[in-house]
Amino acid sequence: LAKTTQPISMDSYEGQEVNITCSHNNIATNDYITWYQQFPSQGPRFIIQGYKTKVTNEVASLFIPADRKSSTLSLPRVSLSDTAVYYCLVGGDHTNAGKSTFGDGTTLTVKP
Amino acid sequence: DAGVIQSPRHEVTEMGQEVTLRCKPISGHNSLFWYRQTMMRGLELLIYFNNNVPIDDSGMPEDRFSAKMPNASFSTLKIQPSEPRDSAVYFCASRGDTLGYNSPLHFGNGTRLTVT
């Protein structure tokens, strides 16, 4: 079971870059790393996914070192609307037939 | 793509009543998940279906909870009888198969259940 560890909360200011790191020491060879964003009163929303090195899309970047035991979600120039909970998931828990278990996530608060 | 559709959005019921939550997954997705979210316990996985078959229901709290997926386009989560501690937001999510179990989840907007 590839359990993940993230900071419980982070604060930032508008316009800053935010980096949220997730530890996943027991990641399996076939596991991808997926990040979700959740706003209040909504379901989590997929934002980015990667296997190794760096992935970038219109929302964020994901940095994965060679050993893949951690990953960093980078949000460039955050705004107030980026205030949300961010979850890191590894694989789909292949040891349990593909079910997906969420941890506590990181609550990001962006201040003006 | 209409996304995952859940109904109702809000449900208020009295203790002891039966509650049925409904979910329509994204067409073509072969996995479906029911989650429950509370402030105290976070996002808990209740049950997971693959190709309409329940694979893991170890997260279902007790026998009062049951879930079905009679076909690929519909699932229900039933609570009978309901209790105040069941009050939570219940999410349904579906997953395609492009990356196998690594494929991203797509969530509905949830059902907020209040049991008085």
Side-chain angles (χ1 to χ4, degrees), chain A residues 30-32 34 36 38 41-44 46 49 87 91-92 94 97-100 102, chain B residues 9 33 35 37 43 45 48 55-56 58 91 95 99 101-102 104-105 107-109 112:
Chain A
N30 295 329
D31 286 344
Y32 279 62
T34 308
Y36 295 84
Q38 185 179 25
S41 302
Q42 295 184 25
F46 166 82
Q49 181 180 61
Y87 296 95
H94 67 97
K99 74 178 186 180
S100 294
F102 284 75
Chain B
R9 286 284 278 137
F33 302 77
Y35 290 88
Q37 188 171 39
L43 200 56
L45 176 63
Y48 152 53
I55 301 300
D56 190 326
S58 59
F91 289 106
R95 183 178 71 194
L99 286 176
Y101 65 80
N102 286 298
L105 297 170
F107 282 79
N109 285 325
R112 181 174 295 277

Side-chain angles (χ1 to χ4, degrees), chain A residues 19-41:
Chain A
N19 296 308
I20 305 174
T21 297
C22 178
S23 297
H24 27 80
N25 291 317
N26 297 321
I27 189 169
T29 302
N30 295 329
D31 286 344
Y32 279 62
I33 300 151
T34 308
W35 286 80
Y36 295 84
Q37 174 191 57
Q38 185 179 25
F39 298 116
S41 302

Side-chain angles (χ1 to χ4, degrees), chain A residues 48-64:
Chain A
I48 198 166
Q49 181 180 61
Y51 183 79
K52 62 180 179 181
T53 62
K54 177 184 174 182
V55 179
T56 297
N57 62 22
E58 65 278 5
V59 176
S61 294
L62 179 60
F63 298 92
I64 305 168

Side-chain angles (χ1 to χ4, degrees), chain B residues 34-112:
Chain B
W34 282 100
Y35 290 88
R36 176 173 70 175
Q37 188 171 39
T38 61
M39 288 293 294
M40 291 297 294
R41 301 176 69 88
L43 200 56
E44 300 176 275
L45 176 63
L46 301 178
I47 187 168
Y48 152 53
F49 292 87
N50 191 50
N51 293 322
N52 312 338
V53 176
I55 301 300
D56 190 326
D57 65 354
S58 59
M60 296 285 261
E62 49 198 271
D63 292 345
R64 299 184 296 107
F65 285 69
S66 62
K68 294 182 180 180
M69 192 165 186
N71 57 62
S73 59
F74 184 66
S75 177
T76 60
L77 178 67
K78 185 177 294 186
I79 308 172
Q80 166 64 19
S82 58
E83 297 182 3
R85 60 190 169 125
D86 301 330
S87 296
V89 181
Y90 290 80
F91 289 106
C92 174
S94 68
R95 183 178 71 194
D97 197 34
T98 52
L99 286 176
Y101 65 80
N102 286 298
S103 302
L105 297 170
H106 296 259
F107 282 79
N109 285 325
T111 295
R112 181 174 295 277

